Every structure is written in C-alpha cells, then in structure tokens.
Amino acid sequence: MQDTIDKIANQITETNYDRLFFSGNYNLIDSLWKNGENKNVLTEIAESEKYDNHTRLLVSEILFNKEKEYFRTKVFDSLASVYAKAMIFATDEGNTRLSGNLWGFMYYSDQNNISDYGILGERLIILGNKVLPYLEKLLDNEDIILYEGSQDATLGNSLKYRVKDTAAYYIGKILKIQVNFFENFERRDAEIERLKSVLRKK
C-alpha cells in the first residue's frame, strides 16, 4: 500500500498546477483519482507531512476538484499551513512553481471595485481563522510574487506584490480589517506593522 501511495505522490511531484488544471486536459487528474478509488490514498498524501508542501497542495486541489465538500472534512485543519505557505512557490525563491495569478490582483482589484481573490486566494478565505497563524508568519517575507501570462504578467508584476503584502491582504479580508496598499515599500511596511499591532491586541 505504501508503495502505491509513494508512486502516486511521485507522479504529482513531477507535475505542476498548470498542467493539472489549465492544460484543458483532465486525463492526469482522472487517472490519479481513478473514479474515486484513490480518494483515501490522495487524502493520506494531502495530510502527511512526509510529503513536501507543493505536492500536498496539488493533491488537495485534485480532491477539491473532485469533491466540492472536501474542505469540510478533517483535512481542513491539517492543510491550513500548506495553503498559507503556497504563495512562497510563486516567487523566485520558491522556483516559481505557482503563479501569482492564483491569488488574483488583490489590492488593485479592490481599488477598482472588483472582487478578485484568485483560485488559491478563495481557498484562504474558506479556511478563514484556521489559516491566520500561518499567514501571520509570512508578514516579514519580502520575496516578490511573480505573475504569468501576457497582460496579467504586465499588470501583476508591475504591482510588485511581496509575500508579506499578499499575506496582509488575506489577513485583512478574513478578519475584515482594512489594509491599505501603497506603491512605496516603506509605506507598505508601515501598514503591515500597523496590522501586526492590531493582531497582537486580538
């Protein structure tokens, strides 16, 4: 049984989010899901700290794709840290295994009265308070999140969102705290320090 679990985990480790969900071909997902026969195997991979966060995230997304009620299960708790840390994979330090597009344009969209959390941003909102402690740990991470695509990349990368800016944004959304955005990094940092102060009082 463990050999089967490791084999499937390795298959997922060798792929990426785009190939699984944006290629227009769901054959790989269907073969991994195997009409639900591999549900328990996939769930074990998602829950196990034996596997790296990127693999666990992809497995979790497969489960969510196949069972919309997936996030209402016990896996909900064990994956909060995985979803928070996922934004690190959208930076050079994380080998850009994910794209910033998955968290939407955040502050920019808000300023234009558009609700745009992106796919993984929506997951953070669903996870709510459970993900907050892990997002707080990212409020000092200055790595820049990178966007892909033609127009999306031009816009997203011009905003120079850092991991800490993204974490602050979603903390604000979950707690319904206004977090302001500034082009100037020093002013952004001052706003994040203000947010930290608010969090310490909670």
Side-chain angles (χ1 to χ4, degrees), residues 46 61 66 71 104 111 137 177 197:
E61 287 295 287
K66 289 299 183 180
F71 259 21
Q111 291 167 359
K137 291 177 181 179
I177 297 171
S197 178

Side-chain angles (χ1 to χ4, degrees), residues 2 36 44 49 51 63 73 118 126 160 171 182 192 200:
Q2 189 59 50
E44 183 163 341
E49 293 185 2
Y51 305 101
L63 288 164
T73 70
I126 293 171
K160 292 183 167 45
I171 290 171
F182 304 95
I192 289 172
R200 283 194 291 268

Side-chain angles (χ1 to χ4, degrees), residues 52-63:
D52 68 72
N53 280 356
H54 186 250
T55 299
R56 294 174 68 194
L57 177 81
L58 295 182
V59 173
S60 177
E61 287 295 287
I62 292 171
L63 288 164

Side-chain angles (χ1 to χ4, degrees), residues 72-85:
R72 311 300 177 190
T73 70
K74 60 188 176 70
V75 180
F76 188 97
D77 292 330
S78 63
L79 282 170
S81 65
V82 172
Y83 273 90
K85 295 174 184 176

Side-chain angles (χ1 to χ4, degrees), residues 11-26:
Q11 276 185 273
I12 295 168
T13 300
E14 292 169 3
T15 189
N16 57 54
Y17 202 101
D18 285 358
R19 184 185 172 199
L20 283 172
F21 299 103
F22 297 147
S23 67
N25 185 333
Y26 280 69

Side-chain angles (χ1 to χ4, degrees), residues 157-170:
N157 293 332
S158 73
L159 297 166
K160 292 183 167 45
Y161 288 146
R162 300 165 298 177
V163 169
K164 64 198 296 186
D165 300 318
T166 307
Y169 177 83
Y170 282 103

Side-chain angles (χ1 to χ4, degrees), residues 180-193:
N180 298 305
F181 178 76
F182 304 95
E183 290 186 15
N184 179 279
F185 282 158
E186 289 185 7
R187 294 187 71 186
R188 286 194 214 178
D189 288 344
E191 182 70 356
I192 289 172
E193 290 304 315

